[in-house]
Amino acid sequence: MQELFKNPSFDSRDICDVNFDKIDRLLAQDVQSPWDGPGWSCNTVTIEVPTGIRKTNDVRRERAAAAGFQRRHNEVDLDARSTAVHEFRLSHAYTCSLVHIMKSMITEEPIATDFHWHGFDEFWQPPDSSKPKERVYGELYSSEAFRHAERRLLNQPPEPDCDLPRVIYALMFSSDATHVAQFGQASLWPAYVFSGNCSKYTRCMPSTRSARHFAYFPKLPDSFEDFLRKHGLSNTAPLKAHCRRELFHAVWKLILDLEFQEAYRHGIVLKCIDGIKRRFYPRIFTYSADYPEKVLIALIRDMGNCPCPRCTVNKQSIRGMGTADDRAVRQSSRRANYKDYFKRVSAARKLIYEDGYVVNSDKVDELLKEGSWVPVENAFTKQLGSEFSVFHILVVDQLHEFELGVWKALL
């Protein structure tokens, strides 16, 4: 700065309108912060904490008397809920727009030149030509899931007045809570997204910048216990587990925002690096996570009677794993967005939030125990529709389930 002022060509009139306060704020920003970049936003998340106050006759009489008094004094909202539900607000939930990441990856990153916009079947011919060809499953864009999603998209009517090529942008999610220091309790819970349109050999190279973090999931803070005490609520493990699930899916509702939903249903037009305009439809194919996060994503009980996030095989039948009968049972009992599932969860939430039952009451348990479900509304189904099944995107996690986890312990 001193050199600038000493320069003979410096004219003080050139800086009369400069906002030095703004420059000072920009210089004070942490340029290493992962959520200061474009597309990121800091959000406030609100979850509803049930009171667990039943609608007994005494409670009804007390509420009716209180409501009558408040109506006479114009102090009540007649549209307010009959059962008190306390709202807990948590700030500093950082998320990045998935649509922004899509645009950046498709239009700016050099890796986009290697993207495969159309799926295909890959085969291997044995050296002995008399033997039949074998199907090769090695990439997402050559998988049956991608081919099925592509056929389904192309069979739909195109957008009005649009004759651009319609292609799928394959999303692959991953998240894992981790400690950030060898000592202390400091931790982060990042979520990453990969593009399934490029080869797995390209994705595994850090230099390609194929992985993008798009969220940092918050955990229930210590102030939540103060919140419970303030409102006279019991600090029970089932209630805290319920609120953790609500918080996780509340953040996912922010991630799967209206902009993403619009792109998911109607596509988004982008000009690719090759100069061709295409209409892109984001589709979620995989979500890699360890078991505690899988049950959080699928909204089932952790190590419940039906512990698998993909099927409803019970614990007693796990010993038959690997047999032909077991495979048939797992296929026939796959989890899906059945109407009965939605009805049960909706009825359980009504018991909790309107009738005042606690989250682990017998009434709630009767509805949900059969499939080890929990009374939380799934963000993926809520935002993307009942045709999207979150159970089918949960894939085997090699790191936690084989190299470091359950299978290694069993062996």
Side-chain angles (χ1 to χ4, degrees):
M1 187 67 74
Q2 291 179 355
E3 294 297 327
L4 175 65
F5 291 152
K6 292 178 181 178
N7 194 305
S9 61
F10 172 73
D11 189 344
S12 60
R13 291 174 296 181
D14 294 338
I15 60 173
C16 289
D17 298 327
V18 175
N19 188 341
F20 284 98
D21 290 336
K22 181 179 180 180
I23 294 176
D24 186 62
R25 288 195 301 270
L26 292 174
L27 292 174
Q29 287 181 357
D30 181 9
V31 295
Q32 300 297 323
S33 177
W35 44 70
D36 277 344
W40 283 91
S41 60
C42 180
N43 309 279
T44 298
V45 183
T46 302
I47 62 172
E48 294 181 336
V49 182
T51 61
I53 300 175
R54 291 276 303 278
K55 279 187 175 181
T56 62
N57 291 333
D58 291 339
V59 171
R60 289 191 181 95
R61 282 193 291 268
E62 290 177 5
R63 288 180 180 164
F69 175 82
Q70 291 173 338
R71 278 196 298 269
R72 288 192 296 271
H73 294 80
N74 296 322
E75 296 177 357
V76 67
D77 179 7
L78 296 178
D79 296 326
R81 302 174 71 161
S82 58
T83 300
V85 175
H86 301 298
E87 291 187 344
F88 178 75
R89 291 179 175 82
L90 189 146
S91 57
H92 299 93
Y94 293 96
T95 61
C96 183
S97 167
L98 290 176
V99 174
H100 171 81
I101 294 176
M102 276 182 55
K103 293 178 179 178
S104 173
M105 292 294 294
I106 294 170
T107 63
E108 299 175 6
E109 294 296 334
I111 190 179
T113 57
D114 298 327
F115 281 179
H116 294 261
W117 299 128
H118 301 284
F120 55 86
D121 297 335
E122 188 175 4
F123 294 89
W124 174 72
Q125 176 64 59
D128 186 354
S129 58
S130 62
K131 294 183 178 180
K133 297 178 182 179
E134 296 181 16
R135 178 78 181 272
V136 177
Y137 298 94
E139 301 288 356
L140 178 61
Y141 46 79
S142 62
S143 67
E144 195 60 38
F146 189 95
R147 299 283 283 142
H148 174 74
E150 187 177 44
R151 287 192 296 268
R152 185 174 179 180
L153 172 64
L154 297 179
N155 287 334
Q156 296 175 357
E159 294 297 312
D161 302 323
C162 180
D163 58 355
L164 295 175
R166 290 178 291 166
V167 296
I168 286 177
Y169 185 79
L171 298 172
M172 305 172 69
F173 293 142
S174 174
S175 63
D176 188 19
T178 180
H179 287 285
V180 295
Q182 292 183 343
F183 303 97
Q185 300 298 318
S187 63
L188 282 176
W189 192 350
Y192 299 90
V193 59
F194 298 81
S195 172
N197 298 88
C198 67
S199 171
K200 59 187 177 184
Y201 301 107
T202 304
R203 283 199 305 272
C204 69
M205 294 189 292
S207 59
T208 60
R209 289 169 45 87
S210 58
R212 296 291 186 89
H213 58 288
F214 64 92
Y216 287 87
F217 295 109
K219 298 181 180 180
L220 285 178
D222 295 337
S223 60
F224 183 70
E225 296 185 5
D226 299 331
F227 173 85
L228 295 178
R229 283 194 294 268
K230 175 183 176 182
H231 293 89
L233 302 179
S234 300
N235 185 9
T236 62
L239 177 60
K240 292 182 71 173
H242 175 79
C243 292
R244 279 194 292 268
R245 298 183 189 112
E246 290 280 355
L247 177 59
F248 180 80
H249 281 267
V251 175
W252 264 110
K253 288 177 182 177
L254 292 175
I255 297 169
L256 304 174
D257 55 11
L258 291 175
E259 184 183 27
F260 181 83
Q261 294 173 45
E262 181 71 16
Y264 183 85
R265 294 183 174 91
H266 302 288
I268 179 172
V269 177
L270 296 173
K271 186 176 182 179
C272 304
I273 285 184
D274 58 11
I276 300 176
K277 279 188 176 182
R278 297 178 175 91
R279 183 175 288 273
F280 290 90
Y281 292 80
R283 292 292 184 266
I284 304 170
F285 284 92
T286 65
Y287 196 139
S288 179
D290 57 16
Y291 182 76
E293 285 190 38
K294 280 183 179 178
V295 299
L296 196 60
I297 299 162
L299 288 176
I300 63 172
R301 301 182 188 186
D302 191 352
M303 294 305 295
N305 186 52
C306 301
C308 179
R310 293 178 62 91
C311 67
T312 55
V313 171
N314 57 44
K315 283 183 178 179
Q316 289 73 23
S317 302
I318 292 179
R319 60 186 178 182
M321 185 170 54
T323 63
D325 290 341
D326 176 71
R327 178 178 289 273
V329 171
R330 289 177 184 272
Q331 289 291 336
S332 62
S333 61
R334 294 179 68 184
R335 294 185 184 271
N337 293 332
Y338 298 121
K339 290 183 179 179
D340 180 61
Y341 163 69
F342 291 123
K343 286 182 179 179
R344 288 173 180 262
V345 172
S346 178
R349 291 180 65 81
K350 182 178 182 297
L351 288 174
I352 294 170
Y353 288 101
E354 295 184 21
D355 297 339
Y357 284 84
V358 294
V359 294
N360 61 331
S361 64
D362 291 339
K363 280 278 191 180
V364 174
D365 206 43
E366 287 176 8
L367 288 168
L368 305 178
K369 187 176 181 180
E370 179 183 346
S372 291
W373 298 304
V374 294
V376 179
E377 189 177 55
N378 195 291
F380 292 89
T381 304
K382 175 68 175 177
Q383 304 297 82
L384 304 181
S386 59
E387 69 276 2
F388 179 84
S389 176
V390 70
F391 309 113
H392 298 164
I393 67 174
L394 298 173
V395 293
V396 174
D397 183 7
Q398 295 285 346
L399 174 64
H400 294 95
E401 296 181 15
F402 284 86
E403 297 176 9
L404 299 176
V406 178
W407 287 100
K408 184 177 180 180
L410 291 176
L411 296 174

